[in-house]
């Protein structure tokens, strides 16, 4: 994965970790995905010990993810581009969280627009961003079942 895509994926994965409480996040993505996200965050924090800018940005991001996500993404992009070992480890950890679905739709006018439609999603992360000036019958995410299979 290129550094820009990888950084954007990391932000998409870790933002909910800080934006929602642990219990709420676990109820949405499951315990395993929560633990792997926590592991990724811990890895980045440990990697950035001694890097004041990255550590400070991560602390700000933890407090207000939306406000500081662009700054953290910029730092990630730069570091992933300059450190192949970091990029490989982060990509490995992100891939362990798969599936990760991200859809961004930007349009002036749209009709019968669906971001993601699936029969079920047993694990992973889905993020839909839609910027539609004039829309009819717009749906962000349509899914018949999310979570573990019934026993």
């Amino acid at each position: 994965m290129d550094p820009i895509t990888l950084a954007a994926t990391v932000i998409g994965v870790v933002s909910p970790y800080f934006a929602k409480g642990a219990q709420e996040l676990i109820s949405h993505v499951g315990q395993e995905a929560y633990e792997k996200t926590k592991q990724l965050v811990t890895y980045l924090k440990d990697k950035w010990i001694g890097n004041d800018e990255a550590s400070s940005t991560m602390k700000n991001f933890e407090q207000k993810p939306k406000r500081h996500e662009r700054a953290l993404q910029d730092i990630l992009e730069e570091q992933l581009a300059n450190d192949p070992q970091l990029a490989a480890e982060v990509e490995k950890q992100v891939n362990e969280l798969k599936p990760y679905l991200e859809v961004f739709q930007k349009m002036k006018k749209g009709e019968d627009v669906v971001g993601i439609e699936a029969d079920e999603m047993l694990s992973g992360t889905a993020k839909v961003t839609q910027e539609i000036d004039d829309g009819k019958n717009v749906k962000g995410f349509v899914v018949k079942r999310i979570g573990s299979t019934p026993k």
Side-chain angles (χ1 to χ4, degrees):
M1 216 179 297
D2 68 276
I4 293 170
T5 302
L6 184 55
T9 302
V10 169
I11 295 300
V13 167
V14 301
S15 287
Y17 178 83
F18 293 112
K20 301 177 185 290
Q23 288 304 90
E24 184 180 347
L25 185 60
I26 289 168
S27 73
H28 289 288
V29 300
Q31 184 71 38
E32 183 180 352
Y34 171 81
E35 292 299 330
K36 288 185 180 195
T37 302
K38 182 177 175 182
Q39 179 182 341
L40 175 60
V41 168
T42 300
Y43 174 78
L44 290 172
K45 285 180 172 183
D46 290 347
K47 189 74 173 168
W48 290 338
I49 290 174
N51 181 329
D52 292 339
E53 181 187 22
S55 294
S56 169
T57 303
M58 177 62 94
K59 284 179 187 170
N60 291 336
F61 178 77
E62 288 175 38
Q63 300 302 312
K64 295 183 179 176
K66 283 282 183 210
R67 180 182 293 177
H68 299 285
E69 72 181 22
R70 186 65 239 173
L72 186 62
Q73 186 169 334
D74 287 346
I75 288 170
L76 269 168
E77 286 175 12
E78 180 181 294
Q79 292 200 353
L80 293 169
N82 294 324
D83 186 342
Q85 196 172 23
L86 173 67
E89 179 59 29
V90 168
E91 184 169 3
K92 176 183 158 269
Q93 289 191 35
V94 165
N95 285 334
E96 289 174 1
L97 287 161
K98 297 287 181 176
Y100 176 79
L101 307 170
E102 182 168 1
V103 176
F104 179 79
Q105 297 172 315
K106 184 174 183 175
M107 58 190 82
K108 298 272 184 211
K109 191 170 188 168
E111 190 169 332
D112 299 318
V113 176
V114 178
I116 296 174
E117 185 169 347
D119 286 335
E120 60 184 49
M121 184 173 168
L122 300 177
S123 67
T125 303
K127 179 180 178 182
V128 177
T129 303
Q130 295 173 311
E131 294 179 12
I132 303 170
D133 293 338
D134 180 19
K136 290 182 182 176
N137 301 318
V138 176
K139 297 175 185 174
F141 190 16
V142 177
V143 64
K144 291 182 180 150
R145 181 179 352 150
I146 296 177
S148 58
T149 355
K151 295 180 181 187

